[in-house]
Amino acid sequence: MKIVDGFTGSVGNTPLVYLKTLSERSGSKIFAKAEFQNPGGSIKDRAAVGIVRDAEEKGLIKPGGTVVEGTAGNTGIGLAHVCRSKGYRCVIFMPNSQSQEKIDLLRMLGAEVYAVPAVPYENPKNYNHQAKEFAEKLENAIWTDQFDNTANTHAHYVSTGPEIWEQMEGEVDGFICSTGTGGTLAGTGKYLKEKSNGKTQVWLADPPGSVLYTYISSGGKLSERSGSSITEGIGQGRVTANLGTFVNDLDGALHISDEKSIAMVYELLDTEGLYVGASSALNVVAAVELAQKLGKGSRVSTVIADGAYRYQSRLFSKKWLHSKGLYNAIPEHLRKYAVLD
């Protein structure tokens, strides 16, 4: 253990958790990076620190400046923490479909939050475009552009990837996770591919309502986006610049249903004592399925992006689960954890 310098110094170096029950059941070794142990509570702390640091090094923002972002929540929370630690003003635009817990937390952290209608990226009123336009009107301000600013990918290339490689002692048969910006998958995947001389397979996990599974499975055909998912902050209707740095090096993609994700939320709580969000549960489902593809004894890693605390009013609400048609997806013996009406 060592002393670190403030919030930014405490980001990263998270534990890698061995998932015992799932590993024994699958006959493989399943590991998950405990990114909820970052000081801001999610993997997006890494991108927030990396993007702001990159802007400072390039002279794009100076003391007293403003940081603006369009985010589904966790990147904004990471940025709000970073801004508090560095003395910047923080302005966040986000879709109004996100959980109230995230919106409240952003405001508690001193961010100015604009919750705007959730519309596709192609719509000029998309929260990302509104964030960019807001930043362009200010002096000494940056739009962090988490989706297409490849400083995001670099943050994972120099931190998440090396940490997983070291923690698994170089024995990484597979890595898989979902993508929102694509930074985690691209940065981590690139590092693991390079260190293993191409031996580590890197796959993308995708929720309903995203086009990336079909894009990768079809060899690069981009379809129209349709449907939706209960997961927040992941899935895409396009290939972002971050994902674009690595998309051609991916070994494959898996489509994970909401039913499987919600069941895994409850299973991880029951068997591992891990309280995770839906996107993290999706990642774990995907890691198990990838391990099955790679064969008995394979060693596969993923990331637990955040905890369930930011989603509990939904994920553990019987009323909400019934409204989404997901209550019956939870094994009967695990429904005891759905304690909210």
Side-chain angles (χ1 to χ4, degrees):
M1 302 295 288
K2 62 180 181 179
I3 295 172
V4 298
D5 185 13
F7 178 90
T8 58
S10 61
V11 172
N13 294 309
T14 56
L16 188 69
V17 180
Y18 171 62
L19 301 178
K20 183 175 183 291
T21 302
L22 293 172
S23 295
E24 291 176 348
R25 187 186 305 162
S26 66
S28 297
K29 302 287 187 181
I30 310 296
F31 302 88
K33 201 90 163 81
E35 290 300 292
F36 57 87
Q37 290 200 17
N38 279 305
S42 86
I43 194 168
K44 295 298 188 177
D45 290 354
R46 295 180 188 261
V49 171
I51 289 172
V52 172
R53 183 176 291 153
D54 178 71
E56 290 173 333
E57 291 172 352
K58 292 177 178 176
L60 301 176
I61 190 169
K62 297 176 176 58
T66 301
V67 173
V68 186
E69 182 55 291
T71 170
N74 280 336
T75 301
I77 291 166
L79 285 170
H81 277 287
V82 172
C83 287
R84 290 277 51 77
S85 70
K86 290 176 171 285
Y88 297 130
R89 175 191 177 196
C90 183
V91 179
I92 301 296
F93 285 79
M94 67 189 304
N96 59 9
S97 58
Q98 301 305 294
S99 67
Q100 191 61 41
E101 288 97 332
K102 286 183 182 178
I103 296 172
D104 291 342
L105 179 55
L106 281 165
R107 289 175 173 153
M108 290 172 194
L109 292 171
E112 297 173 36
V113 182
Y114 297 90
V116 300
V119 295
Y121 184 81
E122 295 75 21
N123 190 312
K125 291 298 182 181
N126 177 273
Y127 62 100
N128 288 292
H129 304 318
Q130 292 200 49
K132 179 183 180 182
E133 292 169 3
F134 187 92
E136 288 173 343
K137 296 175 183 177
L138 302 176
E139 294 292 330
N140 190 20
I142 58 167
W143 169 49
T144 47
D145 189 17
Q146 61 166 323
F147 291 89
D148 296 312
N149 182 347
T150 55
N152 177 348
T153 293
H154 182 71
H156 293 284
Y157 179 80
V158 299
S159 67
T160 318
E163 289 174 30
I164 290 174
W165 183 260
E166 181 178 352
Q167 289 166 322
M168 294 182 67
E169 299 180 334
E171 297 182 29
V172 191
D173 296 310
F175 174 77
I176 188 167
C177 71
S178 54
T179 76
T181 65
T184 301
L185 184 64
T188 306
K190 180 182 179 184
Y191 183 88
L192 295 175
K193 279 283 189 187
E194 290 179 359
K195 288 295 288 186
S196 68
N197 292 317
K199 294 179 181 178
T200 299
Q201 289 205 21
V202 181
W203 288 55
L204 181 149
D206 219 25
S210 174
V211 304
L212 298 179
Y213 168 76
T214 54
Y215 177 85
I216 293 164
S217 301
S218 67
K221 295 179 181 178
L222 203 59
S223 60
E224 286 291 323
R225 192 169 189 172
S226 63
S228 62
S229 171
I230 63 163
T231 56
E232 297 185 24
I234 60 171
Q236 263 296 346
R238 66 188 181 98
V239 176
T240 64
N242 280 293
L243 182 58
T245 65
F246 188 72
V247 69
N248 293 330
D249 297 309
L250 286 168
D251 293 288
L254 296 176
H255 179 269
I256 308 298
S257 69
D258 281 349
E259 287 79 7
K260 289 181 179 179
S261 296
I262 198 69
M264 185 60 76
V265 167
Y266 282 73
E267 179 167 353
L268 286 172
L269 177 59
D270 187 67
T271 62
E272 304 288 349
L274 293 172
Y275 190 59
V276 310
S279 64
S280 298
L282 181 150
N283 286 345
V284 174
V285 172
V288 173
E289 293 191 7
L290 178 58
Q292 292 169 340
K293 285 182 175 291
L294 297 181
K296 296 284 187 182
S298 58
R299 293 165 58 86
V300 175
S301 177
T302 189
V303 296
I304 295 177
D306 62 6
Y309 303 97
R310 293 168 186 172
Y311 320 95
Q312 61 189 20
S313 64
R314 298 181 179 187
L315 296 180
F316 294 90
S317 162
K318 290 188 285 290
K319 181 179 179 181
W320 185 84
L321 289 164
H322 277 298
S323 75
K324 299 296 181 181
L326 292 173
Y327 185 76
N328 291 332
I330 303 167
E332 190 171 352
H333 72 286
L334 299 181
R335 294 174 192 170
K336 61 186 178 183
Y337 297 113
V339 298
L340 303 179
D341 291 329

